[in-house]
Amino acid sequence: MFTTRFSGWTWQNIFIRLVISLVLGIVIGIDRGAKRRGGGARTTITVCLGAALVMLLEQYLEEIYPKRLDISRIAAQVISGVGFLGAGSILVSGHQIKGLTSAASIWTCACIGLAVGIGFVDGAVLLTAVWLVGVHMVPYIEDKVYRYSRYMTLYIEVEDGKAITNVSRQLKENKCLIDSFYVDKPKAKGQHFQIVATFRLPGKIGRDEYLQTLQCLKGVVHVDEI
């Protein structure tokens, strides 16, 4: 059972909730900052403390105006509003998207702050611990799984339309199961066509070997796995 000892409306509980929000925000922020990622400690403690204060405000309004307000409405606005803050940490650079985990961390930090603010401290601490374990374990699991995966997603730059045909023909000749094949046309003279292709390699072909095969095709400028 989760404790409710911090749910009472006393100044001691209010102080404890704000301190716990600060500590949990620091933990998440330092974890992101140590990896040189967006959403560092200053961002996460600000989000976490702000969200905690929102829930304290809602409990305060319930104490002052009992049964006259829906105390879940402000929290709902925080959850949706923080999404815009997280979106600011997402960067699209060429064929890569960065910052999704940072955005999700900011949103999760807001949810943790809301939980602490209303007194659900046990759940907030447990979630923080589980989140930290998850984000540190998943890369190792992904590395093991992806190492044996036959699926590849490649970013390919080619000179012209003929080279696009060459790439497509090569994939079909090698009996690759194509999942998606997107082509972006150059926006100015001197730029190359860009291809992002996801496909499944036959078991007899190695990943590095196939990258070299595509790189040697006529008109192919650059091949990179993403």
Side-chain angles (χ1 to χ4, degrees), residues 16-121:
I16 290 172
R17 292 186 216 174
L18 290 176
V19 171
I20 292 175
S21 295
L22 175 66
V23 171
L24 296 182
I26 290 174
V27 169
I28 294 176
I30 289 178
D31 179 76
R32 300 300 300 161
K35 301 173 185 176
R36 299 297 188 269
R37 305 293 173 83
R42 287 181 296 178
T43 300
T44 53
I45 63 175
T46 303
V47 171
C48 203
L49 283 171
L53 181 60
V54 166
M55 293 307 291
L56 287 171
L57 172 61
E58 292 197 340
Q59 189 173 5
Y60 172 78
L61 292 174
E62 178 65 18
E63 292 287 331
I64 301 300
Y65 307 106
K67 299 181 180 179
R68 294 176 59 184
L69 298 171
D70 181 3
I71 66 171
S72 66
R73 297 177 70 178
I74 302 179
Q77 295 300 316
V78 172
I79 292 176
S80 60
V82 169
F84 290 97
L85 177 62
S89 64
I90 300 175
L91 300 174
V92 180
S93 177
H95 58 285
Q96 293 184 329
I97 300 176
K98 299 180 180 180
L100 288 174
T101 303
S102 297
S105 300
I106 292 172
W107 185 86
T108 301
C109 197
C111 295
I112 290 171
L114 292 174
V116 175
I118 202 62
F120 188 35
V121 174

Side-chain angles (χ1 to χ4, degrees), residues 69-168:
L69 298 171
D70 181 3
I71 66 171
S72 66
R73 297 177 70 178
I74 302 179
Q77 295 300 316
V78 172
I79 292 176
S80 60
V82 169
F84 290 97
L85 177 62
S89 64
I90 300 175
L91 300 174
V92 180
S93 177
H95 58 285
Q96 293 184 329
I97 300 176
K98 299 180 180 180
L100 288 174
T101 303
S102 297
S105 300
I106 292 172
W107 185 86
T108 301
C109 197
C111 295
I112 290 171
L114 292 174
V116 175
I118 202 62
F120 188 35
V121 174
D122 306 62
V125 173
L126 181 60
L127 174 62
T128 302
V130 172
W131 180 83
L132 286 172
V133 171
V135 296
H136 285 280
M137 285 185 61
V138 164
Y140 295 101
I141 297 174
E142 286 180 333
D143 182 62
K144 296 291 185 182
V145 173
Y146 295 163
R147 188 178 301 173
Y148 298 101
S149 174
R150 302 305 301 167
Y151 280 91
M152 298 183 71
T153 298
L154 299 182
Y155 169 77
I156 307 170
E157 290 187 6
V158 297
E159 295 177 350
D160 49 33
K162 291 182 179 179
I164 296 174
T165 304
N166 293 338
V167 172
S168 177

Side-chain angles (χ1 to χ4, degrees), residues 171-186:
L171 293 175
K172 293 178 181 178
E173 287 179 357
N174 295 130
K175 298 182 179 179
C176 296
L177 181 61
I178 300 175
D179 185 61
S180 61
F181 193 91
Y182 298 106
V183 179
D184 283 339
K185 296 181 179 180

